Amino acid sequence: MIKIASLKTRTAQLVVVIGLVMSAGTGFYCWQQSQPLPVPQHLQDLGGDFVLQSADGPLALEELRGKVVLLYFGYLNCPDICPLTMANWADAFNQLSVAEQGSVRGLLVSIDPGRDTPEKLEKYTNYFHPNIIGLTGGHKELAEITLLYRSDYSVERGDESDNYTVSHMSFVYVIDPKGKLREILSHESSPVEIKKSIRNALKVKV
Amino acid sequence: MKIIRTGTVLVLMLIFTSFIQADDNGPVSVKIDNAYVNSVPPGANITAGFFEIKNIGKISITLDNVSSPMAKKIELHRSENIDGKMTMQKITALVIGAGERVKLEHGGIHLMLWGLNESLFPGSHIPLSLNFVNGSVIKVQAELRDIRGMVSHHH
């Protein structure tokens, strides 16, 4: 009888221990899931605040604290990869919940201020998604901002016509709610990959 | 004499014919698939077009240019990553070897269209003439697609 009783006690103790280990594990897993992935070393010193012109007046990146911001340097007469990037963003935004959409903005910064006015940019970005804002500024400001993000562009004037192209680095910068650059994506990143990066950056609480 | 002369002419004609074939002449044999043009987003003046072309002939062919009554100007361009920057270069001629397939795609070779007719809407068809260096013209209908529908499927 005694032996059976102690066996029962032992079993009960074992169940309790297993239960504790499991709940600690689940707790750790939940905590880990709530944490954003660390910012890679090579991005630590990149990024920063700026102010550019939108159709509604000047917009400072700082005004978007609390939101995840996708940043892209492009231009309207880029026929190939710029609209593809905008379409990918719009698709990713549409896959988010309404609450998440409220905490995400896309910024298309035109590096072709000679042709792209803030008004034209607004029409273009609204066509893709209302959460995308078109911005531009003078070449001096744009050069400073692209340098902050270690991006680059150059206007390729082959002839005197208005049909010039602009060579530009084509990355998507994912900025977290604290204004810190968290990730750099390729313009080929699929909407699913973009959504994953947005959700990761949304884990950063201000 | 007459027989000899006729024979000479025939031989010359045969030589000439084979010469023509070797020099990339005569009608081209191509298969065009998935021809489409992206709609022009507001604010932009240009857009891109794409298709897949397979040379099913036995000789290489050269696409000189593409034209359409629905666009002011069309050029063949190639997007290239040069020193980390995406750059567009105009292609003056596209050579397609015998049996070779060339796919026009985002981030690669594409058609650049200026001044697309504004009455077009997604689903409309745009007639394209593919003009080859040897004088052959291949006509295809490219579908106008809403540019917002294109997304990357790259992983």
Side-chain angles (χ1 to χ4, degrees), chain B residues 36-41 44-49 67-74 111-122 124-128 142-145:
Chain B
Y36 70 95
V37 170
N38 280 328
S39 65
V40 186
N45 303 321
I46 44 110
T47 196
S67 56
S68 170
M70 298 303 240
K72 280 191 186 129
K73 186 168 82 164
I74 303 180
L111 296 178
M112 178 118 156
L113 298 94
W114 280 266
L116 198 64
N117 189 306
E118 284 172 16
S119 67
L120 294 165
F121 53 89
S124 301
H125 281 85
I126 303 163
L128 295 179
E143 188 194 341
L144 188 74
R145 292 190 188 165

Side-chain angles (χ1 to χ4, degrees), chain A residues 53-69:
Chain A
Q53 293 300 317
S54 78
D56 297 326
L59 180 90
L61 179 62
E62 221 175 329
E63 291 172 45
L64 299 175
R65 288 292 184 278
K67 292 182 168 62
V68 170
V69 175

Side-chain angles (χ1 to χ4, degrees), chain B:
Chain B
M1 275 305 277
K2 203 179 178 184
I3 293 165
I4 292 168
R5 208 184 291 164
T6 316
T8 312
V9 169
L10 272 172
V11 166
L12 279 172
M13 274 175 72
L14 276 173
I15 291 169
F16 193 50
T17 313
S18 56
F19 176 72
I20 289 171
Q21 282 188 343
D23 200 36
D24 187 6
N25 253 306
V28 295
S29 303
V30 290
K31 193 171 172 289
I32 312 280
D33 285 309
N34 205 19
Y36 70 95
V37 170
N38 280 328
S39 65
V40 186
N45 303 321
I46 44 110
T47 196
F50 307 89
F51 55 80
E52 283 176 54
I53 180 167
K54 185 167 187 199
N55 177 3
I56 51 176
K58 289 190 165 62
I59 47 166
S60 86
I61 51 172
T62 306
L63 180 62
D64 184 43
N65 66 77
V66 177
S67 56
S68 170
M70 298 303 240
K72 280 191 186 129
K73 186 168 82 164
I74 303 180
E75 283 179 1
L76 271 163
H77 279 227
R78 187 200 301 272
S79 293
E80 267 179 308
N81 190 330
I82 298 174
D83 298 329
K85 281 191 279 189
M86 290 305 284
T87 306
M88 275 195 302
Q89 309 282 352
K90 186 180 168 182
I91 305 174
T92 46
L94 180 64
V95 180
I96 307 149
E100 199 190 335
R101 176 197 288 277
V102 175
K103 189 180 179 189
L104 278 69
E105 59 191 339
H106 289 290
I109 301 169
H110 57 270
L111 296 178
M112 178 118 156
L113 298 94
W114 280 266
L116 198 64
N117 189 306
E118 284 172 16
S119 67
L120 294 165
F121 53 89
S124 301
H125 281 85
I126 303 163
L128 295 179
S129 293
L130 276 58
N131 307 307
F132 291 85
V133 166
N134 69 2
S136 291
V137 178
I138 299 288
K139 289 187 185 296
V140 287
Q141 295 286 328
E143 188 194 341
L144 188 74
R145 292 190 188 165
D146 191 319
I147 196 162
R148 294 169 291 189
M150 58 158 184
V151 288
S152 296
H153 301 286
H154 164 272
H155 292 284

